[in-house]
Amino acid sequence: MVKQETKRQERGRRRIELILDAAAHVFADVGYEAATTNSIAARADISPGSLYQFFPNKEAIAEALAARYVAELEAMHDVALDPSLADLPLEEMLDRVVDPMVAFNLANPASKALLNGADLSPRLAESTAHLHEAMCERVELLIAPRAPQLNATERIRAAQVTIQIFKALLPMVMSASRADRAPVIRELKSALRGYLESIERG
């Protein structure tokens, strides 16, 4: 009996992941507003009725998918924004920071819309706000030993500008063809390197 219940729960978890994967594709293809539960069910190759067994509406699907993105980003930030990377030469540090962050966004094109634009629950909005705050703190820790002349306010501002440079150029990376992507990523790193070098020089 216990084994059957375990198998049933595992099938349910797999079905939820299938629906979330399908929703990610639909949100990336047509945007959150234009997406429907019917289009998500069709992408998952299940009936709308099967979808409703797990999610009552599109908003619940978006919330669950965004929560998954938050968890994945937190794990990725633990590696890509490890404070120990500040000891590396600047160019190597940027490779270690930028590459996994770009890879995450390329693998999850729906994440930006869901984490910044979707009308999610207050709980999830709080989680995403915490994620952004934590990222800023981690970037500040990478900057601090490289620019010890900055005071706390200046370090926070430098971290915010660094993040905004990344966010501003990320759409170019996302829209670039496979052949052009590597050069665009190099330009992104060059922009970050130029800004961070100016901070280091004081």
Side-chain angles (χ1 to χ4, degrees):
M1 190 70 173
V2 174
K3 183 178 289 187
Q4 288 179 342
E5 179 65 17
T6 301
K7 287 183 177 179
R8 187 183 69 80
Q9 291 175 347
E10 181 59 32
R11 284 197 299 272
R13 283 193 291 270
R14 288 198 299 268
R15 181 59 59 90
I16 288 171
E17 291 303 310
L18 176 68
I19 292 169
L20 294 182
D21 289 342
H25 286 290
V26 174
F27 291 150
D29 289 344
V30 303
Y32 174 77
E33 293 300 329
T36 65
T37 51
N38 283 347
S39 62
I40 294 169
R43 181 70 189 231
D45 198 23
I46 61 175
S47 69
S50 294
L51 183 149
Y52 289 130
Q53 290 178 9
F54 299 96
F55 297 102
N57 50 44
K58 179 179 72 172
E59 290 75 17
I61 298 172
E63 181 175 327
L65 181 58
R68 185 170 78 174
Y69 287 147
V70 167
E72 291 176 0
L73 279 168
E74 286 176 340
M76 187 265 287
H77 287 170
D78 285 342
V79 176
L81 298 175
D82 188 312
S84 67
L85 298 180
D87 297 330
L88 297 173
L90 181 56
E91 191 157 343
E92 184 178 350
M93 184 188 81
L94 287 173
D95 287 342
R96 297 278 293 276
V97 171
V98 172
D99 289 347
M101 295 184 74
V102 166
F104 173 86
N105 281 277
L106 289 171
N108 302 284
S111 63
K112 184 176 181 181
L114 288 185
L115 296 180
N116 295 288
D119 184 16
L120 301 175
S121 69
R123 179 189 60 78
L124 192 56
E126 183 178 344
S127 296
T128 56
H130 172 74
L131 179 70
H132 294 311
E133 290 171 5
M135 180 170 65
C136 188
E137 290 172 2
R138 286 176 175 271
V139 173
E140 185 184 348
L141 289 174
L142 291 175
I143 289 172
R146 310 188 73 94
Q149 77 280 5
L150 299 181
N151 60 38
T153 299
E154 291 169 336
R155 285 197 305 272
I156 293 171
R157 184 165 56 247
Q160 292 171 336
V161 171
T162 300
I163 292 169
Q164 288 305 315
I165 291 172
F166 177 85
K167 288 183 175 180
L169 294 177
L170 182 61
M172 287 185 63
V173 176
M174 300 290 288
S175 62
S177 66
R178 187 174 296 274
D180 291 337
R181 187 170 295 151
V184 174
I185 292 173
R186 284 197 297 270
E187 292 297 326
L188 166 59
K189 292 178 182 177
S190 178
L192 288 168
R193 184 170 62 250
Y195 176 67
L196 293 173
E197 284 176 344
S198 72
I199 291 175
E200 290 181 7
R201 290 194 300 267

